[in-house]
Amino acid sequence: MEINNRTVRLLYQTNNYFDKNLWSFLEENYDLQLDSNEFLIKNKFIFLDKNILNALKNKELEEGDLIQAKTLGKVLESKNKNYKVGEYVLGPGCVQDYYISGGENCEKFDIDKLNYSENEIFIGLENFNKAFERLIELEYEKKIILKTQFKPSI
C-alpha cells in the first residue's frame, strides 16, 4: 500500500511561538510494508496540549522532529491480533496523517464517546498554525483538537 503522509515538523528553535515559519509541512510518500504485530492508523483527531509547549520551552524538540501529540485514529490495516481493521485507537500518533504502531501506549477507543466542543476544533493539518496559536492564547488551560480530513478513497 502506498501512503502519502502529511507531517508537521519543527524547523528551528525559537521563543517566538507565533512565528508561522516555525513549522514545516511536508508530504512524505512511501510504500507501506507492515511488520509482524504492526498496524496502520489514519489519524482522525490530534490533541494539542501543554506538553507540546513544554517540549519547545525545554528544548526537547530538535530541528526536523515530528511534533508529538496524542491522537485518535482508525485502524486501516493490521497484522496485530489485538487491533482489528475499523477499530479506533487512542495513541501517540504525532501531528501527521498516518502512523504505524505495534500497540505500545495505545488503547482501543469508542468513537461515539468522544466529547468535544466545536470551538476547540480546527479542521485540517493546514490549520496547525491557527490551532497552535489558539493553544497559546488559552494559556495551556485546554486541549485544542486538530481534526484531520479522511481522504475519500480510505
Side-chain angles (χ1 to χ4, degrees):
M1 171 187 260
E2 189 170 318
I3 297 293
N4 180 10
N5 191 33
R6 296 175 306 154
T7 65
V8 177
R9 296 179 183 270
L10 180 69
L11 278 178
Y12 59 90
Q13 292 286 349
T14 182
N15 291 330
N16 178 9
Y17 303 131
F18 288 101
D19 184 352
K20 291 186 182 349
N21 298 314
L22 181 59
W23 315 105
S24 69
F25 299 88
L26 300 174
E27 288 193 23
E28 302 168 346
N29 296 308
Y30 56 94
D31 189 22
L32 174 71
Q33 300 295 324
L34 291 178
D35 290 334
S36 175
N37 214 34
E38 289 183 332
F39 53 100
L40 173 67
I41 300 162
K42 169 68 171 108
N43 286 331
K44 184 169 183 180
F45 295 96
I46 299 170
F47 303 100
L48 307 178
D49 62 19
K50 64 182 177 184
N51 293 323
I52 295 171
L53 295 165
N54 290 339
L56 283 169
K57 287 180 180 178
N58 297 330
K59 309 274 190 247
E60 295 168 12
L61 289 172
E62 296 182 19
E63 293 176 10
D65 280 354
L66 281 167
I67 309 306
Q68 300 289 320
K70 185 150 290 243
T71 62
L72 177 61
K74 186 176 184 179
V75 177
L76 296 182
E77 190 173 320
S78 180
K79 289 187 177 181
N80 186 308
K81 65 180 180 179
N82 298 317
Y83 294 92
K84 310 278 186 263
V85 172
E87 291 181 324
Y88 283 88
V89 176
L90 190 62
C94 298
V95 182
Q96 60 185 348
D97 285 325
Y98 301 91
Y99 75 102
I100 296 172
S101 177
E104 304 84 10
N105 301 314
C106 290
E107 60 184 272
K108 293 180 186 179
F109 189 87
D110 183 351
I111 192 74
D112 295 327
K113 293 184 179 175
L114 182 64
N115 186 14
Y116 59 87
S117 163
E118 289 296 328
N119 295 331
E120 299 167 356
I121 292 215
F122 291 80
I123 305 295
L125 286 181
E126 61 276 5
N127 283 310
F128 176 79
N129 278 332
K130 289 179 186 175
F132 189 75
E133 286 175 8
R134 181 70 179 136
L135 179 65
I136 294 169
E137 289 170 3
L138 291 173
E139 297 180 7
Y140 327 117
E141 296 296 320
K142 293 178 127 185
K143 286 184 178 171
I144 300 297
I145 301 172
L146 187 62
K147 183 177 181 183
T148 61
Q149 297 175 332
F150 281 108
K151 294 183 180 177
S153 63
I154 294 179

